[in-house]
Amino acid sequence: TFKVKFNADIARYIKEEELFVRPRMKDFKDGSMLFEVTVNNEKEFIRWILQYGSAAEIVEPKSAREGLKNQLSEWMDIYK
């Protein structure tokens, strides 16, 4: 199960998007949203999340969060 926090700027668009999954969504007072979903294809889901850049934060699972941190670190090395 993934938990992703979307900031207020993107949360409203996520709610309107026709999704390939059935998420549970929890709204926060600041306009951000927690998006919780179980997916079949983790890599495909992470690619979907990446399109939102820093407006999306993987909260769980920790393994996916760490994997993305490692990938971003590798990208930083390339673009020094």
Side-chain angles (χ1 to χ4, degrees):
T1 301
F2 274 83
K3 290 183 181 179
V4 180
K5 185 174 182 184
F6 290 98
N7 72 20
D9 294 333
I10 295 299
R12 67 186 185 116
Y13 296 109
I14 298 297
K15 291 176 192 173
E16 295 170 0
E17 190 172 331
E18 193 168 313
L19 301 169
F20 54 93
V21 293
R22 293 183 184 265
R24 291 169 297 287
M25 297 184 216
K26 179 182 177 184
D27 295 320
F28 295 107
K29 289 182 181 181
D30 66 358
S32 65
M33 172 184 68
L34 186 66
F35 181 97
E36 186 175 345
V37 68
T38 301
V39 297
N40 293 326
N41 189 324
E42 186 173 308
K43 287 182 180 182
E44 183 178 310
F45 184 70
I46 289 173
R47 279 194 292 274
W48 178 76
I49 292 169
L50 286 173
Q51 72 180 315
Y52 298 104
S54 63
E57 175 191 357
I58 297 174
V59 178
E60 291 180 12
K62 195 170 191 170
S63 60
R65 184 178 173 90
E66 290 300 315
L68 184 54
K69 273 187 1 186
N70 292 337
Q71 182 179 359
L72 292 172
S73 179
E74 289 174 17
W75 289 356
M76 291 296 293
D77 288 342
I78 291 171
Y79 290 101
K80 282 185 179 178

